[in-house]
Amino acid sequence: MSDKKKVLMLHGFVQSDKIFSAKTGGLRKHLKKLGYDLYYPCAPHSIDKKALFQSEAEKGIDAAKEFNTSATTDEVYGWFLRKPDYFNSFEINQSVFDYLNNYVLENGPFDGVIGFSQGAGLGGYLVTDFNRILSLTEEQQPALKFFISFSGFKLEDKVYQKSYDKAIQIPSLHVRGELDAVVAESRIMALYESWPKDKRTLLIHPGAHFVPNSKPFVSQVCNWIQGTINKDDEEQDVRLETEQEQFEKPQLDDDLLDMIDSLGKL
């Protein structure tokens, strides 16, 4: 098993691994300095950008601008597709989970998951029970240390709700753009509120639907990761010390009890 620190990067709808890698250059550079390698899988569903906006109300919408993708390529993908006639209803095909299972086995294990838009929606669902959903053992994928959502949303379909109902233990950072017109604030906050209060952090930037790459903002994200990892390490050290004390104390008590019992028999 590799000692490298790795992050699973899940791109947005109408993007690709290459596009998301290009859009997160600043973040990748800073995380590289912290010892993290970023891995970008590409969603299996090919998307026809030209067929996205065909209704009279939607004509003229620029897909590249709408989804923060690339205007120079038609090779774009999605993790899942919207159900016909339902705006916020999605069905994730088993092939997506199978693909990510193989990707983790071939490239992981991973320390964290970072997603944007649809990729963050998928990531937020996955980290509710990562190993169960992707059929991975603890040896194949130890517990994740963090999750970061850029414009991510909670999946609303009934079939996914049980996973959100239990207390999620993976620390999360939820990033929202004040001018984001693609994913409504209420949907972003629904994902944020799925986490216990002590396991979630909200960060707001003044822009729209994208992953900010400015140095000050990226520094905030990296500081959060470091603070989260260090906090977990400190809590683990405290637990180990407490367990050691509890282990030693009963031994002393047992010795004293044995002495008392032996005295009573003299």
Side-chain angles (χ1 to χ4, degrees):
M1 188 176 290
S2 174
D3 291 331
K4 286 186 177 181
K5 295 187 289 186
K6 300 179 179 181
V7 181
L8 182 65
M9 304 290 291
L10 302 176
H11 67 76
F13 186 61
V14 197
Q15 284 194 339
S16 68
D17 50 340
K18 294 178 181 179
I19 293 173
F20 194 38
S21 177
K23 298 281 185 181
T24 53
L27 181 62
R28 185 173 63 255
K29 180 179 178 181
H30 278 72
L31 285 177
K32 186 76 173 178
K33 293 178 181 178
L34 298 180
Y36 288 96
D37 287 336
L38 275 52
Y39 287 75
Y40 295 81
C42 187
H45 297 300
S46 180
I47 306 297
D48 181 1
K49 286 195 297 184
K50 295 178 182 178
L52 282 176
F53 304 113
Q54 292 298 309
S55 70
E56 288 299 322
E58 293 174 330
K59 281 184 178 179
I61 295 178
D62 184 346
K65 183 178 181 181
E66 181 79 1
F67 296 108
N68 192 34
T69 184
S70 172
T72 60
T73 179
D74 288 325
E75 295 179 358
V76 291
Y77 304 85
W79 296 103
F80 44 84
L81 303 177
R82 183 180 299 155
K83 291 180 182 178
D85 303 322
Y86 292 94
F87 183 75
N88 292 338
S89 185
F90 307 95
E91 183 175 355
I92 306 175
N93 194 286
Q94 182 60 40
S95 63
V96 172
F97 300 131
D98 294 340
Y99 166 71
L100 289 174
N101 168 279
N102 291 329
Y103 193 89
V104 173
L105 292 178
E106 292 176 7
N107 300 283
F110 293 96
D111 292 80
V113 175
I114 297 177
F116 167 64
S117 195
Q118 190 187 82
L122 173 62
Y125 170 67
L126 289 177
V127 299
T128 62
D129 202 342
F130 196 82
N131 288 42
R132 180 189 63 80
I133 295 172
L134 295 185
S135 301
L136 297 164
T137 66
E138 189 175 349
E139 183 179 2
Q140 293 169 332
Q141 174 58 60
L144 293 165
K145 296 179 179 178
F146 64 87
F147 167 63
I148 300 178
S149 165
F150 289 95
S151 301
F153 51 87
K154 181 180 179 180
L155 301 183
E156 298 178 13
D157 295 84
K158 186 177 180 180
V159 67
Y160 304 118
Q161 298 313 302
K162 283 187 178 180
S163 289
Y164 297 108
D165 289 343
K166 54 189 171 183
I168 307 170
Q169 295 304 310
I170 299 170
S172 63
L173 175 65
H174 301 258
V175 183
R176 177 176 69 84
E178 286 187 321
L179 303 180
D180 192 336
V182 178
V183 180
E185 179 182 348
S186 60
R187 300 178 70 202
I188 294 173
M189 295 306 295
L191 181 63
Y192 167 76
E193 289 167 359
S194 298
W195 262 257
K197 291 182 180 180
D198 63 336
K199 295 292 183 180
R200 68 191 188 195
T201 302
L202 180 64
L203 185 58
I204 301 174
H205 67 86
H209 191 69
F210 58 81
V211 177
N213 257 324
S214 67
K215 188 173 181 180
F217 185 87
V218 169
S219 294
Q220 282 184 284
V221 174
C222 291
N223 288 340
W224 177 84
I225 293 175
Q226 285 184 295
T228 297
I229 299 300
N230 291 338
K231 180 181 179 182
D232 284 348
D233 289 343
E234 289 172 3
E235 289 178 350
Q236 184 176 8
D237 289 341
V238 170
R239 284 197 299 270
L240 288 173
E241 289 175 5
T242 302
E243 289 171 0
Q244 183 66 23
E245 289 175 1
Q246 291 174 343
F247 178 72
E248 291 174 352
K249 187 174 180 180
Q251 283 188 313
L252 292 173
D253 290 344
D254 289 343
D255 290 342
L256 288 171
L257 287 172
D258 288 341
M259 290 175 63
I260 292 171
D261 286 342
S262 63
L263 287 171
K265 294 175 182 177
L266 291 176

